[in-house]
Amino acid sequence: MFIGFFALYDTYRWFRYLIWSGFGCMVVCIFIIDGGLPPRSWLIFVQMLVRMPANSGLFAFPFQLGLSLFWGFVWYLLGWVGLCVYRHQRQRQSLTQQIKRIAATWLPSQQISMAVSTSATGTSIPFLSVEHASAMINRDAFSTSDMTAPRLRLPQRPARGQDFDVAEVPTRPAPAADTDSTQQQNTPRFTIPLHAHNPRVLPLQVGVGWHTGLARRHFPNEDSIAVLQGTYTYQGQLLPYGLFVVADGMGGHDNGLEASQLAMQSMSHTVLQNIIMGKEMSDEFFLDMLIGGAEWANLAIYQRGQEEGSDMGTTLTAALIIDCKAYIINVGDSRTYLFRESAGLIQITHDHSLVASLVAFGQITPDEIYTHPERSKIYRSLGQGTDLKIDSFILDLQPHDRLLLCSDGLWEMIRDPVIERIVRATDNPHLLSERLVQTALRGGGADNISVVIVQV
């Protein structure tokens, strides 16, 4: 009960105003009714005790005694509730300040490199193997790198201050002459390269799991999923592609659902138009395409929230698979994993959450993420403002690899070793997605559950 109350208190601004204004009105009303402090009924009872004959007992005036105890209990209950809410408010303010301090010193996850790709000048940079990257993740041996590859500033991304209109989203990349130094943005790109030569056409098998969860079964599912596959022609050959997106809406049931749906629409519209109409096929183009879709979504959600005067946002993780490569982005704490028989389950994305920051700073252990009272606090999401940092990754895929995209409703209920054990148990993505959802429900089902399994 109290968990739900404080969850509403933290989520809705109007609820906080209602609680404090209601509390103030109650104090004033009780103060007036009972004659202030100390309560008038107490004063009358004390006066009657003073005048009471010596041979009378304490219960000679049962009505006055009961009335005094009643008002004493009312004032005690009012003071206890007010103290609890006040302490929670202080804790909330302290947590907000802590998040701001962490955000000011937090190393963006773009700069935490598992591996580095080749630079734009063609200079070869050593790769890390999947096994090495997995070992680094397991022991938190993150390291920064100054080696960056410029990403083209393509026109499918929104200009600063530009109003959002899906019908006007540009669809073509800029000419090479426009990609000068003023338009380039140096952003680290992370790859987990593989050394096998794969065939160009890789059939994809997809399984989808989607459930409202147990705690929210009477409310709409705020998660949204997009699974789009197709084939297009490029330079005289057929090239299959797949776009897979998971978004976890925030801001209340209606606002969260609308935010995640806007993210789906913007990502699908931007990415599909640029794939079909684009004349370029490069890592920079595909990554910029995904990031552009996320930026359009961010702008749409932010503007809708401003119009409606509400706080709305969504997490997002997306994977675009083309030509034996997976291009991945994420914002928030929805995750993308890679599973490979030789390396096991590897978390590719980095959570933009308070608990992930506390783990990085050594203040809590990784296992405490699942039980920390503030595990739902994230510091980056679509819709929080016009400027947004988006993490990006590139993976070279092998046959039998599996990508797992999910919202926090899955991974908070099932820890990574259990997820890996379930994934190893079957190679059927449809059965696998169903088993993951059912396991998350047995683990508590405290949130909406979304999972997409993509098997090469």
Side-chain angles (χ1 to χ4, degrees), residues 216-242:
R216 302 187 180 186
R217 59 185 178 274
H218 300 301
F219 300 97
N221 195 331
E222 298 177 62
D223 290 359
S224 293
I225 291 177
V227 175
L228 305 172
Q229 294 192 77
T231 302
Y232 73 105
T233 55
Y234 178 80
Q235 295 183 351
Q237 61 182 332
L238 294 177
L239 199 59
Y241 66 87

Side-chain angles (χ1 to χ4, degrees), residues 3 10 38 44 48 68 77 97 104 108 120 129 180-181 194 209 216 254 260-261 273 277 307 341 368 371 425 440:
I3 295 176
D10 291 336
I44 295 175
M48 295 180 68
S68 300
L77 183 62
Q97 295 298 323
S129 67
D180 55 18
S181 59
L194 311 173
R216 302 187 180 186
D254 293 335
S260 63
Q261 289 178 341
Q273 283 203 52
M277 302 183 68
E307 293 170 0
E341 288 290 343
E368 290 181 282
T371 57

Side-chain angles (χ1 to χ4, degrees), residues 113-167:
S113 67
M114 293 185 293
V116 187
S117 177
T118 56
S119 67
T121 60
T123 305
S124 178
I125 302 173
F127 288 118
L128 295 180
S129 67
V130 173
E131 291 76 9
H132 190 191
S134 178
M136 292 178 66
I137 294 174
N138 291 335
R139 67 172 181 267
D140 294 330
F142 296 117
S143 62
T144 60
S145 173
D146 294 327
M147 306 181 208
T148 61
R151 189 177 65 245
L152 302 178
R153 188 73 177 184
L154 302 178
Q156 70 265 26
R157 301 175 63 180
R160 188 179 299 274
Q162 180 176 353
D163 290 336
F164 177 82
D165 187 349
V166 172

Side-chain angles (χ1 to χ4, degrees), residues 16-32 75 78 81-82 85:
R16 295 194 290 272
Y17 292 152
L18 179 65
I19 291 300
W20 283 111
S21 58
F23 183 79
C25 291
M26 288 180 61
V27 171
V28 172
C29 290
I30 295 176
F31 191 86
I32 294 175
W75 280 109
L78 195 65
V81 171
V85 176

